[in-house]
Amino acid sequence: AARLLHPASEKIEDNSKPPREQTDTRSSVPRDPSTFPSRAELRYTLSNFMNGVEVKHCSACGSLVTQEIPPGDNRQRYCCGQCGAIHYQNPKLVLGTVPVWGERVLLCRRAIEPRYGFWTLPAGFMENGETTEEGAARETAEEAGAHIELGPLYSVLDIPHVDQVHMFFRARLLNTEFDPGIESLEARLFSETDIPWELLAFRTVEQTLRWFFEDRRTGVFGLRTQAIRYQPRPR
């Protein structure tokens, strides 16, 4: 599964991590992160590279690039003076689900940075060649090992300061047999009163969950949208 890059406002100010409590045996068995392949960290590094990091060389010919405004454009791009290639950087789509079993919602505890040990809805970057629905279902299977029936699109959150758009679909779990992938320590069902709000990894996850529980009380689910902009967390 591809990584969610955390907004700058989500950076952890210290190296403390939440306790690794014993998981509920009804959901999953925690994975020992020391056994995980190193590719997880590599993929996180590559995701960082693709989101706003300076480009120095042309991927087409290898020549140095410069920042300039191409003819007919209105903003600076990385341009190659050797072969003429223009390297556009566009927002990334992050796709996920709100998987539900009865009154409970499925969350995964992250086994990688950023936000190691924090809880999240199953989600990750969209891959080439798939639809948004396919990507959301794939991420749920990869991160939680969960079998779902995908529902309608539920929330769309713009995060312009990290050039991302997060989209979450409602989903119905078909059973409670979970098999978390290498990027999750565990997968567990939570009732609304048990959600670890202070240990949620990302603002988009927290906002989507709050919307979901609010709409469930009214029985009316619409499409929720919001822009989340950078705000430093109080120390």
Side-chain angles (χ1 to χ4, degrees), residues 146-187:
H147 302 278
I148 62 169
E149 177 184 323
L150 196 68
L153 179 62
Y154 179 63
S155 67
V156 178
L157 299 106
D158 299 305
I159 315 165
H161 60 278
V162 291
D163 303 320
Q164 294 177 14
V165 179
H166 292 196
M167 302 171 61
F168 292 92
F169 292 78
R170 290 167 55 201
R172 183 177 68 88
L173 287 164
L174 300 179
N175 55 54
T176 57
E177 297 177 1
F178 312 133
D179 183 22
I182 63 172
E183 293 161 7
S184 298
L185 292 171
E186 57 180 304

Side-chain angles (χ1 to χ4, degrees), residues 2 28 81 86-87 95 107 109 116-118 130 155 159 166 190 194 214 223:
S28 64
I86 302 174
H87 301 273
L95 309 174
L107 298 180
R109 193 154 69 99
Y116 175 97
F118 285 73
E130 67 183 3
S155 67
I159 315 165
H166 292 196
F190 289 89
D194 294 329
E214 178 183 333
L223 177 62

Side-chain angles (χ1 to χ4, degrees), residues 12 16-18 20 31 33 36 109-118 185:
I12 304 173
S16 62
K17 294 180 174 66
R20 301 185 186 182
R31 303 300 179 84
F36 295 168
R109 193 154 69 99
R110 292 175 62 81
I112 60 171
E113 298 291 357
R115 311 296 276 173
Y116 175 97
F118 285 73
L185 292 171

